[in-house]
């Protein structure tokens, strides 16, 4: 039986969201805050996929338990995909949201193609290496100035045409329904019975296969 899954974050908001969504499944969702100090993993991958997997595997290995991690960010078409994996530190290490937004608006000055998307990847890994991956994407446009004060990060400059508002003008329920993270999480929840079976099968395997990306490109249940 899989009794515990660790969420590889200390962000209390993310923890509450996962615990709430997975509350009806027979598993306890813990977070890093429930354990002693463990080192921070460096998010130096070149894709959201790499970083989510790196965080999940690092935590799974460190604690000897299955772990879930997510990585997300903003991808702007006219900037060749920037800020991408650098979203949190676009204006520099420890940059505040408003600094990142200011830099983005500067880079976008005079640019007419305002298309952008938020992307999120969730990785669920076991200590021996294999992992499942889930993705969510939400398309919108970069505004010319910030609007709204809900949410976080780039929400005030991310215009969502379907609602005719920026993400920072939406309630959290409205945002979760359509957001990149909401979509990826929705897929995890929809398949969570299968996920638990998959984790159980991986955990009773005694041999530890090497980490292998091909195992989490597509979630393939065929061998279970
Ligand atoms: P962890 O500690 O869990 O890693 P984090 O704040 O670094 O939390 P992410 O790596 O998932 O979160 O997100 C990276 C950045 O991408 C984040 O700091 C924001 O600038 C941006 N971002 C991600 N999701 C966003 C959202 O829903 N709205 C606005 N900005 C978002």
């Amino acid at each position: 039986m899989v009794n515990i899954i660790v969420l590889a974050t200390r962000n209390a908001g993310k923890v509450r969201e996962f615990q709430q969504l997975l509350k009806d499944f027979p598993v306890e969702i813990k977070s890093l805050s429930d354990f002693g100090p463990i080192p921070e993993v460096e998010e130096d991958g070149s894709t959201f996929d790499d970083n989510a997997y790196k965080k999940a595997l690092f935590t799974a290995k460190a604690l000897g338990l299955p772990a879930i991690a997510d990585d997300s960010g903003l991808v702007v078409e006219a900037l060749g995909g920037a800020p991408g994996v650098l979203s949190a530190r676009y204006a520099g290490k420890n940059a505040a949201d408003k600094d990142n937004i200011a830099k983005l608006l500067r880079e976008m000055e005079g640019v007419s193609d305002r298309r952008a998307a938020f992307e999120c990847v969730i990785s669920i890994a076991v200590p021996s290496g294999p992992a499942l991956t889930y993705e969510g994407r939400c398309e919108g446009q970069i505004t010319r100035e910030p609007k709204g004060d809900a949410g976080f990060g780039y929400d005030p400059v991310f215009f969502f045409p379907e609602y005719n508002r920026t993400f920072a003008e939406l309630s959290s329920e409205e945002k979760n329904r359509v957001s990149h993270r909401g979509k990826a999480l929705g897929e995890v929840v929809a398949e969570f019975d299968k996920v638990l079976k998959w984790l159980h099968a991986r955990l009773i395997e005694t041999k530890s296969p090497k980490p292998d990306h091909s195992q989490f490109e597509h979630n393939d249940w065929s061998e279970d």
Side-chain angles (χ1 to χ4, degrees):
M1 264 312 276
V2 178
N3 298 314
I4 296 173
I5 303 182
V6 186
L7 196 52
T9 183
R10 294 183 192 276
N11 177 327
K14 279 191 188 176
V15 177
R16 265 197 308 277
E17 195 177 343
F18 271 87
Q19 281 173 336
Q20 171 64 22
L21 282 166
L22 299 175
K23 68 179 178 351
D24 295 330
F25 294 94
V27 66
E28 195 179 346
I29 307 293
K30 292 195 178 241
S31 86
L32 293 181
S33 314
D34 296 314
F35 299 88
I38 68 165
E40 288 268 312
V41 64
E42 209 185 332
E43 295 183 37
D44 58 359
S46 58
T47 63
F48 298 123
D49 220 347
D50 287 347
N51 281 336
Y53 178 59
K54 197 174 172 192
K55 277 195 260 186
L57 182 62
F58 181 86
T59 303
K61 277 191 191 298
L63 298 173
L65 291 167
I68 306 184
D70 73 336
D71 195 36
S72 60
L74 180 70
V75 173
V76 179
E77 199 79 21
L79 302 179
V85 289
L86 297 178
S87 291
R89 49 205 147 103
Y90 191 39
K93 205 169 173 258
N94 304 323
D97 287 344
K98 67 170 180 20
D99 301 326
N100 289 329
I101 287 178
K103 176 167 181 189
L104 177 65
L105 292 181
R106 264 196 319 274
E107 298 286 332
M108 294 294 283
E109 251 166 39
V111 176
S112 56
D113 178 1
R114 315 290 298 185
R115 288 174 299 155
F118 276 125
E119 292 184 0
C120 173
V121 175
I122 295 175
S123 175
I124 307 177
V126 287
S128 56
L132 299 173
T133 193
Y134 292 86
E135 301 179 354
R137 185 178 153 91
C138 177
E139 293 181 358
Q141 281 155 19
I142 302 302
T143 57
R144 291 181 190 271
E145 56 189 37
K147 223 172 162 205
D149 25 51
F152 70 103
Y154 298 90
D155 283 345
V157 289
F158 187 81
F159 179 78
F160 185 61
E162 245 170 79
Y163 288 170
N164 202 27
R165 279 174 285 166
T166 68
F167 262 15
E169 296 177 293
L170 303 183
S171 67
S172 55
E173 290 76 22
E174 283 173 321
K175 180 179 164 185
N176 291 342
R177 226 176 288 142
V178 296
S179 80
H180 49 312
R181 195 171 300 100
K183 285 181 190 165
L185 261 170
E187 299 227 345
V188 172
V189 173
E191 284 200 341
F192 207 64
D193 280 324
K194 276 182 175 179
V195 171
L196 289 177
K197 276 196 202 135
W198 184 89
L199 286 174
H200 182 64
R202 297 294 81 75
L203 292 175
I204 56 174
E205 287 167 359
T206 47
K207 289 253 182 301
S208 300
K210 288 208 176 68
D212 177 359
H213 268 234
S214 66
Q215 295 181 78
F216 62 97
E217 283 302 319
H218 304 286
N219 299 340
D220 178 3
W221 312 104
S222 54
E223 55 181 295
D224 295 330

